[in-house]
Amino acid sequence: MRLVPFSPLASLEGFPGGRLPGEWVLEALVLAAFAHLVRKDKAFAEKVRRFVLEGAYGGSGELVLGLKAHLFQARPELAGLALSDLPLEGVERHRLLVFDLERKEAAGEREGHLFAGELPLELPPVLRALAPAARSFAESLAAHEGRALAGTPLEPFYAKLRARLKGSAFPLRLGDYADDLFRTWLLPFYRVGEVADFLHRRFRLTPWPRRVYAWKGVTLGWAFLETGPGGPGLP
């Protein structure tokens, strides 16, 4: 199995030790599993809905930790897993555009380190089984960002991305692709009005990243797990 970036993977502070953290891959898969369980399991969805509305957490970090704890209680096979870090070659530093999804315009620049090469990656069976959940989560995120960025130079990228997400694709969203990544844990609640209203009142939060990073006409962090021959790196 190979990790194949569809757009470059970014780290604002640089990839630690010149490696792609295995924790990034694991976190993306765990997040997809959480979103999938909220959609498919009514009892689990009700349990985490009550947790959010009870508000027994101090901030967004504690909120995410609580949601993750509920997931591991429901899916204990996902707890305690670890993936090895992957050594990188060909990392480059670039200026990144910051796109505001609410204002539908560029809102500044950030410097970041980009990697777009392919990497060998093996997953245990329990994580391989999350391909449908990962695809569903990526489709939701791509649909929202694509709508928000319609009419901008990034619109054509989302048409290509949506086509790539079809079929048996195994997508992941990795790295520093937005300035408020914790919000993606709230994505399953965007259609639950009382939860969305509560989070907005307490934290001024919406269930979507507000700003995403882009470079050369693509937003960052989209990758696919594939088998087969390799391909190019950064354009």
Side-chain angles (χ1 to χ4, degrees), residues 51 55-70 182 202-203:
F51 167 74
Y57 41 84
S60 58
E62 290 184 14
L63 170 59
V64 170
L65 287 175
L67 296 175
K68 194 179 296 187
H70 279 80
F182 71 88
R202 180 165 176 180
F203 297 118

Side-chain angles (χ1 to χ4, degrees), residues 160-182:
K160 297 176 183 177
L161 177 61
R162 285 193 296 271
R164 181 65 185 83
L165 287 170
K166 295 178 180 178
S168 59
F170 194 157
L172 296 174
R173 193 84 183 275
L174 303 173
D176 293 330
Y177 61 84
D179 66 355
D180 41 14
L181 295 177
F182 71 88

Side-chain angles (χ1 to χ4, degrees), residues 20 25 37 87-88 93-94 98 107 118 129 158 173 182-183 189 195 198 218 226 229 232:
L20 178 73
V25 178
L37 201 57
L88 304 179
R93 183 181 297 179
H94 292 280
V98 181
E118 298 179 2
Y158 281 88
R173 193 84 183 275
F182 71 88
R183 292 177 189 242
F189 302 118
V195 173
F198 174 82
V218 305
E226 298 180 357

Side-chain angles (χ1 to χ4, degrees), residues 20-103:
L20 178 73
E23 181 64 25
W24 287 10
V25 178
L26 185 59
E27 180 77 2
L29 289 164
V30 167
L31 173 54
F34 173 78
H36 185 76
L37 201 57
V38 169
R39 286 194 306 274
K40 298 296 184 179
D41 187 322
K42 291 183 179 180
F44 179 79
E46 175 59 19
K47 190 173 183 179
V48 294
R49 184 191 69 83
R50 289 198 307 269
F51 167 74
V52 174
L53 293 177
E54 287 168 0
Y57 41 84
S60 58
E62 290 184 14
L63 170 59
V64 170
L65 287 175
L67 296 175
K68 194 179 296 187
H70 279 80
L71 171 67
F72 291 156
Q73 185 178 32
R75 296 285 303 275
E77 70 275 15
L78 297 178
L81 296 173
L83 294 176
S84 299
D85 297 345
L86 304 173
L88 304 179
E89 294 182 1
V91 175
E92 300 177 3
R93 183 181 297 179
H94 292 280
R95 298 296 295 177
L96 312 177
L97 282 179
V98 181
F99 264 84
D100 190 301
L101 298 183
E102 296 174 356
R103 293 162 50 191

